[in-house]
């Protein structure tokens, strides 16, 4: 049984989807949760849901792509809870297009939210976790960061970047007992994937040995493990949650 009683977690992009499910899983294990998102109303509703599970929760509107807002997120969390034990960098976006048609804006926005946003939040939490000499940082990458995907050059590059960032920071933070890992989900049924063409969805499933799309809960279970002391000797790793899509 995983027990995170008394710990505080920040989950970015947790107003809905995978982030919301991660927040619920961590709360069910006893953790207090900061729900952070650009969707303020959605974040407030999720924070209420966490409170209904008997945990303390705070909703903070923050755009992770802005360093000042990432700093504010950590500062407000420390003011309320006095600590940050777990940081889950989950906020992410897609702006899909074939490379030939991809605009500079489509490239920049995805790299800035997915990769720079992860850097911003890690950098902001560094001082707090270093002082505590403990912490768990979990970055949400993607299967396409490992295998690439036509029409997603920006997204694949950002998620591959998250893996490189994870490994480098794991090496830098190891001596302070801070573990840094990535989770690479495959095809998960959320708002992000709901508008994919039916043909593309069917094609994805043919690549999955377990023969089904994943659910947000499948990803949340992996994050829960990496957030717990069961993973204390694991750092710099990429845990694939993809039904076997990439081996
Ligand atoms: P989602 O349903 O689109 O949820 C993402 C959340 O992040 C939304 O609430 C969104 O707010 C928020 N967000 C967007 N930009 C933000 C920013 N700059 N700062 C803070 N919050 C921001 O996506 P999901 O499917 O749950 O995906 C969660 C993570 O898993 C992402 O990193 C994604 O790349 C990754 N992932 C997903 C899949 C999949 O199949 N679904 C597969 C692999 C990896 P708005 O609603 O206002 O935009």
């Amino acid at each position: 049984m995983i027990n995170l009683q008394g710990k505080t977690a920040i989950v970015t992009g947790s107003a809905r989807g995978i982030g919301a499910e991660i927040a619920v899983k961590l709360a069910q294990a006893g953790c207090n949760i900061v729900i952070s998102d650009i969707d303020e109303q959605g974040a407030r509703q999720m924070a209420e849901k966490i409170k209904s599970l008997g945990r303390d929760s705070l909703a903070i509107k923050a755009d992770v792509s802005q360093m000042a807002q990432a700093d504010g997120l950590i500062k407000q969390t420390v003011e309320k809870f006095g600590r940050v034990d777990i940081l889950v960098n989950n906020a992410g976006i897609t702006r899909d297009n074939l490379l030939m048609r991809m605009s500079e804006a489509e490239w920049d926005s995805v790299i800035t939210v997915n990769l720079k946003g992860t850097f911003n939040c890690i950098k902001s939490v560094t001082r707090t976790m270093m002082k505590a000499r403990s912490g768990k940082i979990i970055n949400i990458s993607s299967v396409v960061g490992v295998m690439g995907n036509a029409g997603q050059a920006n997204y694949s590059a950002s998620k591959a970047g998250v893996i490189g960032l994870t490994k480098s920071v794991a090496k830098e933070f190891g001596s302070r007992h801070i573990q840094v890992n990535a989770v690479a989900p495959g095809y998960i049924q959320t708002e992000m994937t709901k508008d994919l063409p039916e043909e593309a969805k069917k094609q994805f499933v043919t690549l999955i040995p377990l023969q089904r799309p994943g659910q947000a809960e499948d990803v949340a279970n992996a994050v829960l493990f990496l957030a717990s002391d069961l993973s204390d000797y694991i750092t710099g790793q990429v845990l694939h949650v993809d039904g076997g899509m990439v081996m």
Side-chain angles (χ1 to χ4, degrees), residues 33-155:
I33 310 284
V34 173
I35 302 288
S36 173
D37 206 286
I38 46 173
D39 171 5
E40 192 170 14
Q41 203 192 344
R44 282 219 201 96
Q45 282 168 0
M46 262 313 290
E48 288 309 311
K49 184 170 174 185
I50 299 296
K51 284 181 189 164
S52 75
L53 298 172
R55 308 296 164 214
D56 204 354
S57 188
L58 180 65
I60 300 178
K61 184 182 182 195
D63 177 348
V64 294
S65 68
Q66 305 296 316
M67 180 57 102
Q69 295 189 36
D71 275 343
L73 168 62
I74 305 301
K75 191 163 170 271
Q76 287 178 66
T77 303
V78 173
E79 273 165 15
K80 171 144 175 87
F81 294 106
R83 54 197 291 152
V84 185
D85 303 286
I86 300 156
L87 168 65
V88 184
N89 287 303
N90 165 81
I93 60 168
T94 51
R95 298 287 181 271
D96 297 351
N97 221 336
L98 292 173
L99 186 99
M100 275 183 72
R101 295 197 202 117
M102 187 173 286
S103 67
E104 192 179 352
E106 285 168 337
W107 173 268
D108 284 348
S109 57
V110 171
I111 298 291
T112 308
V113 173
N114 298 4
L115 182 54
K116 188 178 172 217
T118 303
F119 162 78
N120 287 345
C121 293
I122 293 175
K123 188 156 165 64
S124 298
V125 86
T126 302
R127 188 190 297 255
T128 308
M129 283 192 178
M130 289 262 184
K131 255 172 80 181
R133 298 185 74 83
S134 74
K136 301 275 189 182
I137 299 175
I138 300 137
N139 301 320
I140 307 300
S141 177
S142 167
V143 75
V144 306
V146 179
M147 67 181 207
N149 196 24
Q152 291 197 307
N154 51 359
Y155 184 75

Side-chain angles (χ1 to χ4, degrees), residues 16 18 37 62-64 90 141 155 159 185-186 188 190 192-193:
R16 70 174 197 210
I18 292 172
D37 206 286
D63 177 348
V64 294
N90 165 81
S141 177
Y155 184 75
K159 294 299 188 178
I188 309 296
T190 68
M192 185 179 266
T193 51

